[in-house]
Amino acid sequence: MSQTLRPWRYARRLITAALTITVMAGTAGWTVAHEEQPVTGPPPGTDAWLADHSLPGPGRELPDPATASPVAIARFFGRLTDVQQRALAIRHPQVVGNLDGAPLALRYEANARALRAERNKERAADPHSPLAARYSALLAPGRQILAFDPRGRGQVAEVYGDLAAARRTAVIVPGSDIDLAAFDRSHDPYGTPAGMATSLRAAMAEEAPGTRTAVVAWVGYTTPVGLGTDAATSRLAKAGAPRLDRFLAGLSVTTAATADAPPTVFCHSYGSVVCGLAASAMDRTRVSDLVALGSPGMRANSADGLHTGARVWAARDSTDWIRRVTGYDFMGLGHGEDPTDPSFGARVVSADRAHGHTGYFAPGTDSLRNFARIALGDFGAVRCAHDDGPTDCRHGLV
């Protein structure tokens, strides 16, 4: 970067930071009143799970969801019969459904049980409960719910495709305003985790018709609501990063045998802050590629500063408003360097024909086509945002 551009960049950062602080100060009452409390810790029902001593024989205590690794969880279930596994899922659906490392089909079954129980509870309190309707929608035939937690605004993860048999997989990590109610809303579909995942899998099938693929839409953390201090700080991302790390560790245990490569993780908006904080644990055995799109920053000043073994990509369309709030970290506000800036060192891909902050997965966009090719490992077909030597998005690929 030239010496003439550097002062302007710093000035822009200071101006943006000052404007953000002014906005936050002017809405302090609103943001404090609506501050989100992150859901953390083990799943609901853990106390009853730990108190269950029904398995016969010594040393058959149930693993602690708070401390047992996904590898240990997988090893534990591997020692059980199918009957014993199902019995645990029946007695403790909320725990089994959220145990990273547990068999995938067992988690689907457990989460269906947990959803039915929550739906019945809601209906008993209010026959016309909107929440009961949301639970019913998630219970529709063919849906594969990999995680479900009714606490707070609700968290959910859904699988599209046969995850157990997929050769190529991807994980979507969404940003602000996403929760159980917004997971698959009908308006702005490509701004929802369900819409993103469905569109990405369709694009992967178009690019490689014979390849078995699966996409996971993961809403496993408490997202910010609106444009308050939660969105401008990393508090919720710090609470969500360990949950993402554990989820990806669980996938590496349950899918590695059939996959050609570890998953590609797509991090949208505030989700890229979560990914940035979790990135240091993302070695090549857990995540192959990390893609930040519509990102306000990743809590790092460079791709190297993420300390990840994954390849780092970035995309932003020219109409995305997020460009106005990237590139600074001042008094705890902001999330660091813009990942699409050449100085960051990510491989920047074209997002032509994408529109706004939630249009990256819309059919017909360069961004969706590029994302599908990255997830498939077809790097030579990726269209770069720049094709001029060191800023070429394929430069240095290994």
Side-chain angles (χ1 to χ4, degrees):
M1 179 180 296
S2 70
Q3 294 295 322
T4 57
L5 289 178
R6 190 173 289 115
W8 162 242
R9 170 184 287 181
Y10 292 153
R12 175 182 172 276
R13 290 179 181 175
L14 289 174
I15 292 169
T16 305
L19 288 172
T20 303
I21 292 170
T22 300
V23 170
M24 297 305 168
T27 60
W30 184 93
T31 56
V32 171
H34 290 76
E35 186 176 80
E36 295 296 310
Q37 296 306 311
V39 172
T40 58
T46 292
D47 288 345
W49 164 271
L50 293 175
D52 187 334
H53 301 290
S54 61
L55 289 178
R60 302 302 293 272
E61 292 82 8
L62 304 187
D64 188 344
T67 58
S69 69
V71 170
I73 296 293
R75 189 181 300 122
F76 166 77
F77 278 99
R79 294 195 297 263
L80 303 182
T81 66
D82 290 345
V83 171
Q84 290 172 327
Q85 290 184 9
R86 291 200 73 238
L88 288 176
I90 291 170
R91 289 199 300 274
H92 309 284
Q94 288 189 318
V95 173
V96 174
N98 291 287
L99 275 181
D100 296 308
L104 298 174
L106 189 68
R107 291 182 66 176
Y108 299 154
E109 178 184 345
N111 283 315
R113 288 182 176 276
L115 281 162
R116 280 194 292 270
E118 291 297 319
R119 180 187 63 184
N120 294 342
K121 186 191 306 181
E122 285 294 319
R123 282 179 173 173
D126 177 6
H128 305 290
S129 165
L131 191 53
R134 291 295 307 123
Y135 294 148
S136 291
L138 292 174
L139 285 164
R143 300 194 77 164
Q144 303 173 113
I145 306 304
L146 187 57
F148 165 64
D149 191 332
R151 294 177 295 177
R153 290 160 33 222
Q155 298 181 1
V156 63
E158 183 171 11
V159 174
Y160 301 81
D162 187 348
L163 185 57
R167 291 175 53 198
R168 287 285 177 172
T169 61
V171 176
I172 307 287
V173 180
S176 297
D177 299 311
I178 298 296
D179 50 24
L180 187 67
F183 179 77
D184 55 359
R185 63 181 181 238
S186 57
H187 71 280
D188 189 24
Y190 302 115
T192 70
M196 293 178 191
T198 302
S199 185
L200 176 60
R201 185 159 184 262
M204 292 170 71
E206 184 176 342
E207 292 287 333
T211 301
R212 295 190 302 272
T213 64
V215 181
V216 184
W218 181 83
V219 186
Y221 79 105
T222 303
T223 68
V225 173
L227 296 176
T229 51
D230 280 346
T233 66
S234 60
R235 183 179 66 90
L236 294 179
K238 287 177 179 177
R243 298 172 74 84
L244 175 61
D245 175 37
R246 184 176 179 84
F247 177 77
L248 294 171
L251 286 188
S252 71
V253 171
T254 52
T255 65
T258 57
D260 289 345
T264 297
V265 180
F266 293 89
C267 314
H268 179 238
S269 193
Y270 191 85
S272 67
V273 185
V274 180
C275 289
L277 292 173
S280 61
M282 296 181 184
D283 61 31
R284 287 284 180 90
T285 66
R286 189 173 296 181
V287 175
S288 62
D289 295 85
L290 187 63
V291 185
L293 51 136
S295 173
M298 302 183 75
R299 304 301 300 177
N301 289 322
S302 68
D304 288 343
L306 294 172
H307 304 293
T308 178
R311 288 174 288 257
V312 181
W313 307 75
R316 190 183 67 217
D317 77 74
S318 59
T319 64
D320 190 341
W321 60 263
I322 202 76
R323 69 188 186 279
R324 298 190 177 93
V325 297
T326 59
Y328 76 95
D329 181 0
F330 184 70
M331 294 180 63
L333 298 175
H335 303 296
E337 187 60 85
D338 175 2
T340 64
D341 192 287
S343 67
F344 189 82
R347 301 170 174 92
V348 183
V349 303
S350 171
D352 283 357
R353 290 181 286 279
H355 182 74
H357 189 55
T358 58
Y360 292 94
F361 288 87
T365 59
D366 272 16
S367 47
L368 176 61
R369 189 174 298 109
N370 282 327
F371 296 164
R373 291 169 178 173
I374 293 170
L376 291 165
D378 187 8
F379 304 128
V382 172
R383 184 184 174 203
C384 308
H386 309 283
D387 291 310
D388 49 356
T391 59
D392 186 331
C393 66
R394 292 182 295 267
H395 180 74
L397 267 177
V398 293

